[in-house]
Amino acid sequence: MRLTLPAALTVLMVSNIAAAQDYAEPMTAPAARLDRNLRPTPRTLGFGLGMNINSAADLTQPNTAGVRFVLSDGFILEPTVRLTHSSTSVDMPGATSSASVSTTTFGVGAMARSRLASRGPVDLAGLGGASLGFSSTDVMKDTTNTSFSLLWGLGLSWYFNPAWALSLDVTNPIFSLNRQSVDGFGGDTVTTNWTAGAVWDATQALLMLYFYM
């Protein structure tokens, strides 16, 4: 009896440890599955509509559209397009015609998104990309601007539904090149300037996205 009691206790302890491990593993697995199911799977296509937010933006009028290609769990490629048009007309007393100003802005670009951290349904991503923009102002002197930028930034994505997400991005230029042409009476005046460095000149974009699973 003295020889078998330690062996019996050892067998009992090993069996209890094994049972505890078998019990603990299913407790952690559902949390991992639930977290994964909140996000779109790789090779998923997402469509977004929203606003490029700045001090002059009308928050009731969407002016930004985007498409996101989910290439892997932590990497998303996002081409973007932006289009805005505004027009102002002023009637002067005694004048036979009104003065008007119209501005058209168009931009295209692409952004790569790499997931840095996650907490529940919210992902924090590092952003890097490039954009090309064009704007034209029709007034007494027509002005056109053409710009090119290399961008960096951070983005938050809230996956409140497996197919829907709300995204807020903040981007800044690393390098920017701008060419302005002013159509005057004596001919065009062209000004070119460029900036390089760690610039904090943030642009915010808010998008509501639908992912086609």
Side-chain angles (χ1 to χ4, degrees):
M1 188 67 177
R2 292 177 182 176
L3 297 176
T4 58
L5 182 57
L9 291 176
T10 302
V11 172
L12 182 60
M13 291 175 62
V14 171
S15 63
N16 287 337
I17 293 172
Q21 291 176 345
D22 292 340
Y23 178 75
E25 289 177 357
M27 294 296 291
T28 58
R33 286 196 298 268
L34 177 62
D35 185 67
R36 184 64 193 84
N37 289 336
L38 288 174
R39 289 160 178 79
T41 58
R43 296 183 297 279
T44 298
L45 181 62
F47 302 91
L49 183 65
M51 293 163 289
N52 186 34
I53 304 171
N54 55 49
S55 59
D58 184 354
L59 299 183
T60 63
Q61 296 182 357
N63 58 18
T64 299
V67 177
R68 292 187 183 179
F69 298 94
V70 182
L71 303 180
S72 68
D73 286 341
F75 188 80
I76 296 175
L77 184 63
E78 179 183 12
T80 59
V81 59
R82 296 183 177 92
L83 176 63
T84 62
H85 178 78
S86 63
S87 180
T88 304
S89 179
V90 179
D91 294 324
M92 304 297 294
T96 58
S97 60
S98 60
S100 62
V101 177
S102 64
T103 301
T104 301
T105 302
F106 175 75
V108 293
M111 190 75 67
R113 312 173 65 90
S114 179
R115 185 186 303 167
L116 301 178
S118 299
R119 175 168 293 183
V122 180
D123 284 352
L124 172 65
L127 311 178
S131 68
L132 178 66
F134 172 83
S135 66
S136 175
T137 302
D138 184 8
V139 68
M140 294 182 61
K141 293 183 177 181
D142 295 341
T143 302
T144 59
N145 285 278
T146 305
S147 61
F148 172 78
S149 297
L150 297 176
L151 306 170
W152 71 276
L154 295 172
L156 287 174
S157 298
W158 174 31
Y159 297 94
F160 57 88
N161 182 279
W164 291 91
L166 185 64
S167 176
L168 176 63
D169 296 341
V170 179
T171 56
N172 299 274
I174 297 177
F175 172 82
S176 61
L177 175 67
N178 185 77
R179 181 181 183 274
Q180 182 185 74
S181 176
V182 180
D183 185 10
F185 296 106
D188 293 347
T189 300
V190 178
T191 303
T192 303
N193 59 75
W194 62 272
T195 303
V199 181
W200 183 261
D201 186 16
T203 299
Q204 296 84 31
L206 183 67
L207 283 177
M208 179 66 73
L209 294 136
Y210 172 77
F211 290 91
Y212 183 77
M213 312 297 284

